[in-house]
Amino acid sequence: MANLSLRDATKTFDDDGDEIIAVDELNLEIEDGEFLVLVGPSGCGKSTTLRMVAGLETPTSGSINIGDEPIHHQTPQERDIAMVFQSYALYPHMTVYENMAFGLEESSDLSDEETEEQVNTAAEMLGITDLLGRKPGELSGGQQQRVALGRAIVRDPKVFLLDEPLANLDAKLRAEMRTELQQLQEDLGTTTIYVTHDQTEAMTMSDRIAILDGGMLQQVGTPMECYHEPANLFVAGFIGEPSMNFFDVTRADDVLVGDGFEYPLSEEMSASIDGTTELVLGIRPENVGIVERSSGPTVFPGVVDVIEPHGNENAVHLRFAESSTDETFTSTVDGMRHLTGGQQVGVSFPEDAVYLFDTATGDALRHRVVEDIEEVQEIGTR
Amino acid sequence: MARSKDTVTGSGSVSTGAVPNDWRDRLRRFSKSDVVRSFPYWFIPFSIMGLGVYGGIGWNTLISFTDYEGFRERPDITNLDLDMYIQALQDPAVIVTTKNTFILMIVFTTVTMALGLFLAILLDREIRYKEKIQTIYLLPMALSFVVTAQFWLWMYNVNNGLVNVVLGVFGLGPYNWIGSPDLVLWAVIFALVWQFSGYAMVVFLAGLQSLPDDQFEAARVDGASAFKTYWRVIIPQLKSSSVSAAVILLIFALKAFTFLYSMFGQYRVPQATDILATLMVREAFQLQNWAYAAAIASILLVMSLAIIAPYLHYQHKQGSL
């Protein structure tokens, strides 16, 4: 067990003379025993980062350390790490037992008895003892996934690397495995990096999330921090489902003029945006209220477009009544609430829930007001 | 649907003549079936192939039960016995050639496969100019046996062949590759390995490239060295490539007659390289012992089938047959 750090880790690929930057000066500190989720859209460099830690890619520059020991020059064999691949990469000609024992046989000097004992312990932990004699081809997707995990666990490495391990499972099993994996990591207390493109996995499983886009680190923080205090437009849009609503606005004195609405600026808001005039106003769907028309200064006339029922809640797609385009935005309301398409409503954007971003840089200028983020975190972290 | 309805009403209305109607109906349906309608397309090739291959095998087997020899008379097929087989099993020439056939088969196949696998692994390791190198290795396979045999005959020339010239640089030789009974079989095997290792390489390379990269990566992360990765993870997964390469090579070894005949230019090849195929041709076309040659041919066929059978069984077990 150890903490892992990446310092200015950069990876570029050569594409017929063109240099493609996959990971750009990434700095990350992962504490001993921490569960860090690397999340981002495809091609953001998250898998490349993981492969650099695994030793399957060599960083072009920068360093990677486990504890105080630099490991970026070591081969994968020399690093004490275990990895779970998205495809599981089980060896098809070996039984489950042989698959799990292979790493121990190759990387340690354990006797056959000790190997057997460790494999059996790991198999028991994952509930796959019955499967030890079978070949991977005879297993279901979920069972193969467990074997792949078992193969990593049995080695008791310093760092676990998981590359989208749940991507090939069906939705129900994925939700179950999410909980189970989290529990397992907590029991083992091994430093873990988990790569995913699924923000739900990132939110629900991690101690901290690192969000990557275009090879650059956008934000590192607890799930609650990333959700309530996104560093920029990208993080705000990426974290949260359904994603945050964005409106292009221009500042005119003490109002923000958007397409179909004018948002009055409070003193606190105008202070935070300073002299910026081109802004993006953001608000999460759960904060968009559907109320009576003209019941306040931050309520605007809107029209209900489409309603998607989810049972406990409805995702309502709305338009501004005075908008010049057909652009819609989303509000989530209670599932029992009755709305119909075409209905004339008031749309409320409470001041406390409004985010403001600089259009030019994408940086967040104002976050929503959360009473006490520390307190929220107490509930949020486990 | 419409037609089936017609049939039902038709058979219902004719209550007395149900049997001929049923017979006609069946004939009509039979004449419209896929098998009958596609008859002109499959029957001609099928009959030509059947007559040429299976008819040939049948005729050969029949002759092997007679005492047919020379050109004077027709084979006497009224008196069939196993005399020729009994004679063959007691013939020292058959025993020697069978032994040579086995040596050729096993050594040639093993060495070719090992070399092919080695080359394939080298090429698979992200080498530059891979396609060109692949073509260079595969090229000997495209050459006719007649060409390569003649070419190696010159290479092995005792006085000024390239092999002896090169060995002479290191102070070795000269060796009489073709003349010496101890060396000639190995010289032939070496030439055949040279010709076929490119083929084995291509088969293995295809097998290697069909394996996902993450097998290699998983083994590396598991701590296995490059050698162990290949030995324990990769090579065992090349089983189906190995089996198909081995079968092709074994069959080529059995019918190496062309190569030997081209190399030595006559039916009588040096005794150390005399294999069942050359013995069979000699008995038939030099000595006109038709029945005896047919018996040897049957033995050769049984040997080929014995090699093919496990392969077919394996393919069947894998569900690809």
Side-chain angles (χ1 to χ4, degrees):
Chain A
M1 274 180 253
N3 60 320
L4 179 83
S5 61
L6 286 89
R7 296 204 184 104
D8 295 328
T10 302
K11 179 72 189 176
T12 58
F13 291 104
D14 185 51
D15 180 40
D16 283 330
D18 291 335
E19 201 176 59
I20 294 171
I21 302 174
V23 178
D24 196 2
E25 298 194 353
L26 185 66
N27 284 294
L28 264 182
E29 291 283 340
I30 300 139
E31 299 296 322
D32 187 9
E34 190 177 19
F35 195 129
L36 180 101
V37 173
L38 270 180
V39 67
S42 339
C44 71
K46 56 190 192 295
S47 283
T48 308
T49 306
L50 194 77
R51 291 167 60 83
M52 284 198 287
V53 178
L56 298 170
E57 305 281 357
T58 317
T60 315
S61 64
S63 70
I64 301 170
N65 299 313
I66 291 183
D68 295 326
E69 191 193 357
I71 59 160
H72 54 275
H73 292 306
Q74 294 177 345
T75 62
Q77 292 88 343
E78 293 165 322
R79 305 179 187 196
D80 193 3
I81 42 151
M83 182 159 167
V84 176
F85 292 80
Q86 183 178 352
S87 62
Y88 314 142
L90 299 175
Y91 310 127
H93 59 293
M94 296 187 194
T95 62
V96 169
Y97 178 87
E98 287 165 338
N99 263 286
M100 288 171 70
F102 182 80
L104 282 178
E105 286 163 9
E106 292 299 332
S107 66
S108 69
D109 305 324
L110 293 181
S111 68
D112 288 354
E113 291 77 40
E114 285 168 310
T115 303
E116 195 180 334
E117 198 188 310
Q118 291 207 21
V119 172
N120 285 334
T121 313
E124 223 163 273
M125 201 185 276
L126 289 161
I128 52 172
T129 313
D130 302 347
L131 309 177
L132 285 175
R134 295 213 220 155
K135 295 253 175 89
E138 301 162 18
L139 306 179
S140 71
Q143 289 170 330
Q144 290 186 18
Q145 214 277 332
R146 278 168 192 274
V147 176
L149 275 177
R151 193 165 71 171
I153 289 172
V154 77
R155 303 236 335 260
D156 190 21
K158 284 186 187 144
V159 181
F160 274 139
L161 305 174
L162 300 128
D163 188 5
E164 309 228 12
L166 307 183
N168 294 340
L169 300 180
D170 65 62
K172 194 162 182 291
L173 197 54
R174 196 180 314 155
E176 280 172 30
M177 282 307 288
R178 239 169 21 210
T179 325
E180 202 174 316
L181 248 178
Q182 202 179 340
Q183 189 65 47
L184 198 67
Q185 195 270 343
E186 204 173 319
D187 291 348
L188 294 168
T190 309
T191 313
T192 303
I193 305 182
Y194 184 106
V195 162
T196 180
H197 64 271
D198 181 352
Q199 63 92 26
T200 318
E201 281 176 25
M203 287 294 288
T204 52
M205 297 174 76
S206 63
D207 292 332
R208 281 194 306 155
I209 306 180
I211 299 141
L212 265 75
D213 184 40
M216 278 188 275
L217 186 62
Q218 305 293 320
Q219 187 168 5
V220 194
T222 64
M224 283 300 134
E225 277 168 11
C226 294
Y227 186 79
H228 290 294
E229 295 180 352
N232 56 37
L233 212 50
F234 178 80
V235 176
F238 193 81
I239 300 290
E241 175 65 38
S243 55
M244 192 187 277
N245 297 301
F246 294 119
F247 306 94
D248 288 320
V249 292
T250 313
R251 184 182 180 180
D253 293 328
D254 55 354
V255 286
L256 295 171
V257 182
D259 182 22
F261 72 103
E262 286 189 6
Y263 199 88
L265 279 175
S266 67
E267 257 178 57
E268 178 264 340
M269 284 169 96
S270 41
S272 64
I273 60 177
D274 205 14
T276 322
T277 53
E278 295 300 316
L279 298 143
V280 175
L281 183 149
I283 184 162
R284 293 214 178 267
E286 65 267 29
N287 298 125
V288 177
I290 297 179
V291 294
E292 292 293 310
R293 275 204 176 174
S294 52
S295 48
T298 59
V299 176
F300 312 101
V303 180
V304 176
D305 197 31
V306 182
I307 301 144
E308 291 172 19
H310 290 272
N312 65 330
E313 58 178 31
N314 289 338
V316 184
H317 297 268
L318 298 145
R319 270 182 295 118
F320 285 120
E322 289 151 31
S323 167
S324 57
T325 64
D326 283 344
E327 295 272 319
T328 63
F329 55 95
T330 318
S331 164
T332 47
V333 297
D334 191 90
M336 301 306 284
R337 187 151 167 205
H338 185 71
L339 291 162
T340 50
Q343 192 176 338
Q344 309 276 322
V345 292
V347 180
S348 150
F349 289 179
E351 191 192 317
D352 280 357
V354 165
Y355 294 84
L356 291 172
F357 303 92
D358 184 336
T359 308
T361 62
D363 291 341
L365 301 176
R366 178 194 193 260
H367 290 134
R368 65 163 301 177
V369 181
V370 179
E371 291 304 320
D372 188 354
I373 194 138
E374 293 303 320
E375 197 176 294
V376 176
Q377 271 175 9
E378 283 306 309
I379 306 161
T381 52
R382 50 191 165 82
Chain B
M1 279 309 276
R3 205 196 318 147
S4 67
K5 210 173 177 183
D6 285 352
T7 341
V8 171
T9 49
S11 62
S13 63
V14 188
S15 50
T16 46
V19 176
N21 198 35
D22 184 49
W23 176 82
R24 250 182 243 164
D25 186 47
R26 255 197 236 168
L27 188 71
R28 199 186 64 200
R29 245 189 265 167
F30 178 70
S31 70
K32 288 222 160 103
S33 69
D34 288 348
V35 179
V36 175
R37 287 204 293 180
S38 60
F39 182 80
Y41 300 98
W42 60 259
F43 180 74
I44 296 168
F46 188 79
S47 55
I48 293 173
M49 197 270 289
L51 203 66
V53 176
Y54 299 104
I57 291 173
W59 183 237
N60 177 78
T61 313
L62 188 65
I63 295 223
S64 73
F65 292 135
T66 66
D67 302 324
Y68 185 36
E69 57 180 53
F71 287 117
R72 302 270 166 74
E73 60 218 43
R74 288 162 168 275
D76 171 19
I77 55 169
T78 54
N79 184 18
L80 300 178
D81 52 37
L82 288 171
D83 277 359
M84 289 302 154
Y85 291 93
I86 293 161
Q87 189 188 335
L89 294 178
Q90 289 164 348
D91 185 350
V94 171
I95 291 159
V96 167
T97 51
T98 308
K99 198 184 106 204
N100 286 341
T101 307
F102 271 107
I103 293 174
L104 179 70
M105 251 167 39
I106 287 159
V107 176
F108 160 71
T109 308
T110 315
V111 175
T112 309
M113 299 246 298
L115 189 63
L117 180 62
F118 177 71
L119 291 172
I121 288 173
L122 285 189
L123 277 195
D124 193 47
R125 293 189 69 83
E126 302 265 313
I127 241 177
R128 268 164 187 261
Y129 311 117
K130 187 157 90 186
E131 276 74 30
K132 292 186 186 88
I133 292 173
Q134 198 174 325
T135 316
I136 290 170
Y137 279 120
L138 193 57
L139 220 49
M141 176 82 179
L143 295 176
S144 149
F145 266 148
V146 181
V147 176
T148 56
Q150 196 60 45
F151 158 86
W152 277 102
L153 189 65
W154 290 339
M155 294 277 280
Y156 284 139
N157 185 296
V158 66
N159 296 320
N160 43 24
L162 190 62
V163 178
N164 277 344
V165 170
V166 170
L167 287 178
V169 173
F170 300 100
L172 297 167
Y175 295 105
N176 192 355
W177 296 107
I178 302 296
S180 158
D182 293 338
L183 291 177
V184 66
L185 183 60
W186 306 108
V188 167
I189 289 175
F190 185 85
L192 286 172
V193 167
W194 171 83
Q195 185 160 13
F196 284 97
S197 55
Y199 164 76
M201 178 200 74
V202 170
V203 173
F204 281 124
L205 196 59
L208 280 173
Q209 286 177 345
S210 70
L211 292 182
D213 285 346
D214 56 25
Q215 289 286 318
F216 291 88
E217 290 174 352
R220 282 175 75 192
V221 174
D222 265 345
S225 63
F227 174 75
K228 282 293 190 73
T229 302
Y230 278 104
W231 186 248
R232 294 194 58 188
V233 177
I234 303 305
I235 294 176
Q237 294 190 49
L238 295 176
K239 207 157 105 192
S240 64
S241 317
S242 318
V243 173
S244 50
V247 168
I248 299 283
L249 293 174
L250 286 169
I251 299 289
F252 264 109
L254 279 178
K255 50 183 243 185
F257 165 79
T258 331
F259 187 85
L260 292 167
Y261 179 68
S262 314
M263 194 162 203
F264 302 108
Q266 55 181 20
Y267 289 140
R268 164 70 62 190
V269 298
Q271 208 193 359
T273 64
D274 205 6
I275 59 172
L276 276 173
T278 49
L279 178 69
M280 171 190 79
V281 174
R282 199 162 64 239
E283 287 291 342
F285 300 104
Q286 194 168 27
L287 308 171
Q288 280 90 44
N289 293 328
W290 306 114
Y292 192 47
I296 296 171
S298 297
I299 293 170
L300 205 52
L301 177 72
V302 170
M303 282 174 67
S304 309
L305 289 180
I307 290 165
I308 293 275
Y311 172 65
L312 294 183
H313 178 70
Y314 171 78
Q315 291 279 313
H316 182 69
K317 220 171 57 185
Q318 301 281 309
S320 47
L321 201 78

